[in-house]
Structures are given as C-alpha cells and as structure tokens.
Amino acid sequence: MTGSPVDRLADALAKLPGIGRKTALRLAFSLVDDGRLSEELAAVLSETARNVHECPLCRNLTLDPVCEVCGNGSRSRSICVVHTSADMRSIEDTGLFRGTYFVLHGSLAPLDGVGPAELGIPALLERVAGVQAQEVILALDSTTEGEATCAYIARALESLGVPVTRLARGLPPGALVEYADALTLSQALKGRSRV
Ligand code: ZN
C-alpha cells in the first residue's frame, strides 16, 4: 500500500458523509497522535463490522438478535417507515413516537435497480398485517425519490385497510429527515396527515 499513514487514514475518513478533505486530514492527524484512541476506535469498528446486521423485524442495523426498539415489549402497534437507521434515530430522539419502525435502506430508484424488493416492501406489508398495525407513518424525505417511495408504499398498503399518514409539509421541499432539527421534525410528526 502507498501513501503515508495520515494520508491513507484521511482517504478512508473522507469517504464518510459530511467529511471534507480538510476535516478528514484533521481527524487523521488526531488519530495518529493519540494511539490509545486509535486502538479503541479500531476495536469498536472491527467489532461493529463483524457483528452488525439488520434486525429481522424492522431492518434497523443492530448488534443484537433483534434491535432495541423491537425488543421492547411496551411499544405500540404503530409502524414508522424511514429511509435509514439514522432517520430512525432522529425520530426516536424527538421522543414523540412510541411504536416500532421499518427501515427501507434507500428510496425507490428503478434506474439504479432499486425496486420494492430491495427496499423490503413485501416484508413491510407482511409485518403490518402480522402485527395488525394501528397506523403506518411514512416519515420519508421530501425529495423526488422520497415522494415516489411514499406514494408507492401508500398504494401498496391500501388493501390492508390500515390508516396511513405522512409527515406534515412542515419539512421544506428537498429536506432530509436525518438532518431536520428536532423542533421541525416534532412538528412534522405531530401535524402528520392521512395519505
Ligand atoms: Zn427491529
């Protein structure tokens, strides 16, 4: 392998979302300077990479047999559909939703080969029917792909007769759930409307 350890570290870090070249270099220098932190991070990362998997119920990423939310017997029978585990965390952090989740890991993108099966939509329908969900909340991004995914899932759920809602239009067009601030997300969740 070529390049100095700092450059190689910076190259790897720069692949993370939101990390530009300058930040990557700064982080790489701190890691090289702090051997103990590097070892701690290396251990956590390799443990995570080895053991992380999708929760069989909701597809959230977890190290446990089922994720913490699905394993909590006191959650309600509402299901909140999100794009990513990070979105799930953002909604959990509002403290307003007491049901369980379903993580799509993406948006419909037929041209890139991402169809309903890749998003786990058949498993979602099975789960909604299986738990007799009280409500399905579509907490998807206000992007073109998010809107298309939202419309597809709403249609797919129609025959099950479950109330389907979506976040209020409080999220500005193009907004990503993960980055919405807690107040905006709370208002969007409270003001959700029937699809
Ligand atoms: Zn789960």
Side-chain angles (χ1 to χ4, degrees), residues 83 107 140-150 166 172-176:
H83 289 297
S107 303
L140 302 176
D141 295 338
S142 294
T143 56
T144 315
E145 299 80 14
E147 294 291 342
T149 309
C150 202
R166 53 174 297 156
L176 305 182

Side-chain angles (χ1 to χ4, degrees), residues 93-118:
D93 287 349
T94 67
L96 287 173
F97 179 67
R98 301 303 304 155
T100 59
Y101 294 83
F102 190 88
V103 183
L104 302 172
H105 294 290
S107 303
L108 281 180
L111 296 179
D112 297 326
V114 184
E118 284 69 31

Side-chain angles (χ1 to χ4, degrees), residues 1-4 8:
M1 273 186 248
T2 57
S4 75
R8 282 173 49 203

Side-chain angles (χ1 to χ4, degrees), residues 9-159:
L9 250 177
D11 288 346
L13 289 166
K15 292 179 184 157
L16 294 169
I19 306 281
R21 183 72 202 161
K22 224 169 159 175
T23 306
L25 262 178
R26 214 173 65 225
L27 292 172
F29 274 115
S30 347
L31 286 168
V32 171
D33 276 346
D34 187 340
R36 263 181 53 186
L37 176 61
S38 288
E39 289 196 5
E40 193 183 324
L41 262 175
V44 174
L45 285 173
S46 80
E47 152 92 7
T48 305
R50 253 199 325 273
N51 298 323
V52 76
H53 63 99
E54 288 181 7
C55 169
L57 300 173
C58 73
R59 312 209 327 158
N60 178 26
L61 297 175
T62 180
L63 296 172
D64 301 315
V66 298
C67 79
E68 208 179 323
V69 172
C70 290
N72 176 346
S74 64
R75 307 287 298 213
S76 78
R77 287 186 292 113
S78 293
I79 296 176
C80 182
V81 181
V82 291
H83 289 297
T84 65
S85 291
D87 292 348
M88 173 172 166
R89 170 66 69 88
S90 299
I91 291 176
E92 267 305 273
D93 287 349
T94 67
L96 287 173
F97 179 67
R98 301 303 304 155
T100 59
Y101 294 83
F102 190 88
V103 183
L104 302 172
H105 294 290
S107 303
L108 281 180
L111 296 179
D112 297 326
V114 184
E118 284 69 31
L119 299 183
I121 292 173
L124 169 65
L125 300 184
E126 221 169 89
R127 175 131 171 270
V128 167
V131 303
Q132 294 180 306
Q134 288 162 325
E135 176 183 0
V136 176
I137 303 173
L138 302 174
L140 302 176
D141 295 338
S142 294
T143 56
T144 315
E145 299 80 14
E147 294 291 342
T149 309
C150 202
Y152 181 90
I153 297 177
R155 240 188 350 261
L157 286 168
E158 244 165 35
S159 62

Side-chain angles (χ1 to χ4, degrees), residues 134-136 138 154 161-169 191-195:
Q134 288 162 325
E135 176 183 0
V136 176
L138 302 174
V162 58
V164 179
T165 57
R166 53 174 297 156
L167 295 186
R169 302 274 175 184
R192 64 186 184 273
S193 54
R194 278 296 273 270
V195 175

